[in-house]
């Protein structure tokens, strides 16, 4: 059974598990070389997402140039995490500029978008309605309630859940719009699967089979 961690900062060490390891693009260093070192040390087939996190916008033109060099690399399977955060220091107008550019890169590269959102749901929904992107968007680390989950699913978004989640929202996303992740935690992705399975009253194997199907639908290059 394969377990998929679609957003993490720690490469998996289990050969049967598959992880999308996040790379935050910051100006002034090479995230590509940093991630290459981590991936070589890992035993399992890891992949990457690359993006400009709204917390770390500091030199937009340099960061975007670095991101554009990374997005077409074969181990990069998603763009992000990208998005909007009203608690972050950079002005929302700058965050939106960077987010829109990453949406365009997602569309150009044909790779899904991993989204970070804090208190900016209305803006995310408005942008999606306006742009009508063809590539999938996945909200990572979703902790919202079932009403918000329904709003996002109506717009065609997917939800990824970590160790903390609203069980009602989880049930709304089940079966076809749900993913699992560890984010910046050192937990095994299997423990997240077990928590999800317990909340849904399914076996971990049933959850793993459904998430594998969801992965095949939007991350076909990860499927085994």
């Amino acid at each position: 059974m394969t377990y998929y961690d679609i957003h993490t900062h720690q490469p998996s060490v289990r050969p049967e598990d598959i992880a999308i390891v996040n790379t935050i693009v910051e100006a002034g260093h090479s995230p590509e070389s940093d991630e290459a070192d981590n991936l070589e040390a890992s035993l399992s087939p890891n992949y990457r997402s690359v993006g400009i996190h709204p917390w770390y916008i500091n030199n937009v033109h340099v960061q975007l140039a670095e991101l554009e060099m990374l997005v077409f690399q074969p181990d990069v399977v998603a763009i992000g995490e990208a998005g909007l955060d009203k608690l972050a220091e950079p002005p929302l107008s700058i965050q939106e500029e960077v987010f829109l550019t990453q949406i365009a890169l997602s569309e150009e590269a044909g790779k899904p978008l991993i989204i970070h959102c804090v208190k900016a749901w209305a803006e995310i929904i408005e942008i999606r309605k306006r742009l009508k992107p063809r590539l999938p968007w996945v909200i990572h680390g979703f902790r919202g309630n079932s009403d918000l989950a329904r709003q996002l699913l109506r717009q065609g978004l997917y939800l990824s859940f970590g160790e903390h989640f609203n069980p009602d929202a989880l049930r709304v996303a089940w079966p076809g719009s749900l993913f699992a992740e560890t984010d910046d935690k050192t937990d095994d992705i299997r423990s997240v699967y077990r928590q999800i399975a317990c909340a849904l009253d399914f076996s971990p194997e049933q959850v793993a089979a459904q998430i594998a199907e969801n992965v095949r639908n939007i991350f076909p290059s990860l499927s085994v």
Side-chain angles (χ1 to χ4, degrees):
M1 182 67 67
T2 301
Y3 291 79
Y4 294 92
D5 188 344
I6 69 109
H7 180 80
T8 182
H9 297 263
Q10 306 291 333
S12 173
V13 295
R14 291 179 181 268
E16 65 271 35
D17 295 347
I18 293 179
I20 301 179
V21 182
N22 183 238
T23 298
I24 297 173
V25 177
E26 297 183 76
H29 80 286
S30 172
E32 177 185 359
S33 60
D34 294 345
E35 287 298 321
D37 291 342
N38 288 335
L39 295 179
E40 286 176 6
S42 173
L43 299 177
S44 61
N46 291 278
Y47 298 86
R48 285 193 293 164
S49 61
V50 293
I52 303 172
H53 192 293
W55 290 359
Y56 303 114
I57 298 171
N58 48 56
N59 189 332
V60 173
H61 297 298
V62 173
Q63 287 175 286
L64 288 174
E66 291 182 357
L67 178 59
E68 289 172 358
M69 290 191 297
L70 294 172
V71 293
F72 292 101
Q73 294 189 4
D75 66 328
V76 172
V77 297
I79 309 304
E81 57 190 286
L84 304 175
D85 187 331
K86 290 187 177 179
L87 300 183
E89 184 176 343
L92 195 62
S93 59
I94 300 298
Q95 294 184 41
E96 288 185 354
E97 174 189 340
V98 174
F99 183 45
L100 291 172
T101 301
Q102 292 183 93
I103 294 170
L105 283 172
S106 165
E107 295 292 299
E108 181 183 356
K111 298 177 181 181
L113 192 66
I114 307 293
I115 293 179
H116 168 101
C117 181
V118 175
K119 299 183 181 298
W121 299 110
E123 288 82 357
I124 293 287
I125 290 171
E126 186 280 326
I127 290 170
R128 183 168 175 87
K129 286 181 176 178
R130 172 161 47 91
L131 296 184
K132 298 179 175 60
R134 63 182 180 85
L135 270 295
W137 290 10
V138 181
I139 304 292
H140 104 82
F142 186 74
R143 299 188 188 186
N145 61 29
S146 58
D147 289 339
L148 178 57
R150 288 188 186 92
Q151 288 183 55
L152 296 169
L153 266 60
R154 279 197 295 269
Q155 300 305 319
L157 280 81
Y158 297 83
L159 305 179
S160 179
F161 297 86
E163 63 174 350
H164 300 293
F165 54 80
N166 182 311
D168 291 334
L170 191 76
R171 286 186 278 272
V172 169
W174 179 265
S177 299
L178 184 149
F179 294 94
E181 64 176 75
T182 57
D183 195 11
D184 58 354
K185 305 297 188 294
T186 57
D187 295 345
D188 191 322
I189 188 61
R190 294 155 185 264
S191 70
V192 178
Y193 274 63
R194 287 193 293 269
Q195 292 176 59
I196 291 173
C198 182
L200 293 171
D201 198 22
F202 289 118
S203 70
E205 291 75 19
Q206 287 173 299
V207 169
Q210 181 61 53
I211 291 178
E213 180 177 336
N214 297 345
V215 166
R216 285 191 293 271
N217 288 336
I218 75 166
F219 297 106
S221 60
L222 270 66
S223 300
V224 296

